[in-house]
Structures are given as C-alpha cells and as structure tokens.
Amino acid sequence: MGDKPLSIFQVSGRAMSAQLVRMNTTASNLANAGTVASSAETAYRTIKPVFRTKFDEQSGMATVDVERVVTAGADPTKRYDPGNPMADKDGNVWESAVDETRELVDMLETARSYQNNVEVMQTAKSLILDTLKLGR
C-alpha cells in the first residue's frame, strides 16, 4: 500500500468513504422504492456496495475500500395495471422490490459506523494534541 505505514486517520478516512458509498446506495434504493417500469429488465433493482478489507503489514492495521457496487435483493414484481402509462401490451408493470425497512436499517447502521470513525479520528487528534502538550 505504499512505503509508509498507514495512519489511524487514513484507516478511518477510508472507512468513512466506504460508508458514504453505502449511504448513497441506500438513498438511491429508497428513492426508487415503488417505482415502476414497462419491463423486468428496465425496472430498478436494489444496489449494494461490496467492501474489500486490506491488511497493511507495516502498520498492522486493516483498511476497507469499496470494490464494486452490485445489484442485490429480490426481482421486480409484476403487477397488472392496464391504466398505468408504463404498462406493457398486456397491461403489466414491474415494480422495484426495494425492501424499505431493510434499507432504513442499513441507513442507521451506516450512520453509526460513520459516526464511530469520526469519534476514532477525534480521539486520535485529542491524544496527539495531549502528547504535544507534554513536550512544553
């Protein structure tokens, strides 16, 4: 991962970046809950980030990065709705199968993880400042 060992700030920063991607995918999922399309192929599908953990031997710390974003969850649901302008020739629409409850739980977990990393950075900063004060 480079010549220098990672700092706690780099580790927390990467974790916060990964959680930001997770929050954005969750927001996208919630924004598309209940949307309909004229085919199963064009209907919105839930997206989730895939995290990859990397171990830095010099610092002895692990970091996390987003490897990719994938579709996950249930397939869109076919529903007969002939009056819908998105309906196909048979009168069907496909509704996104976003599980709103699960997405809200993910959002809460993401916010907690992000906040935990903010606290790690604040604690590290405080310890560094206290160490510098010892030298006075």
Side-chain angles (χ1 to χ4, degrees):
M1 284 200 178
D3 298 330
K4 296 189 301 186
L6 293 172
S7 73
I8 190 66
F9 296 105
Q10 290 170 310
V11 172
S12 288
R14 287 184 181 179
M16 290 168 70
S17 293
Q19 292 304 323
L20 185 57
V21 171
R22 184 178 177 198
M23 183 67 80
N24 286 335
T25 58
T26 301
S28 179
N29 293 337
L30 286 169
N32 285 284
T35 59
V36 295
S38 56
S39 72
E41 294 76 29
T42 59
Y44 183 83
R45 294 174 188 270
T46 301
I47 55 175
K48 297 288 179 188
V50 175
F51 296 138
R52 168 178 237 116
T53 303
K54 297 177 185 170
F55 183 72
D56 180 64
E57 292 194 24
Q58 284 186 303
S59 64
M61 292 189 275
T63 62
V64 65
D65 291 307
V66 175
E67 186 175 275
R68 64 185 182 279
V69 176
V70 298
T71 57
D75 290 332
T77 307
K78 183 167 89 170
R79 184 182 64 191
Y80 184 68
D81 187 2
N84 191 309
M86 296 294 293
D88 66 7
K89 63 181 174 45
D90 298 321
N92 295 312
V93 293
W94 279 260
E95 186 174 349
S96 64
V98 174
D99 182 343
E100 293 175 80
T101 302
R102 182 177 181 175
E103 295 302 320
L104 290 170
V105 169
D106 278 355
M107 189 172 279
L108 288 171
E109 288 177 359
T110 303
R112 284 186 189 129
S113 282
Y114 192 91
Q115 183 59 38
N116 288 343
N117 280 290
V118 168
E119 289 175 20
V120 165
M121 291 181 115
Q122 288 174 336
T123 300
K125 177 184 165 189
S126 178
L127 290 172
I128 290 169
L129 290 174
D130 288 348
T131 302
L132 290 173
K133 289 176 188 173
L134 289 175
R136 289 185 183 178

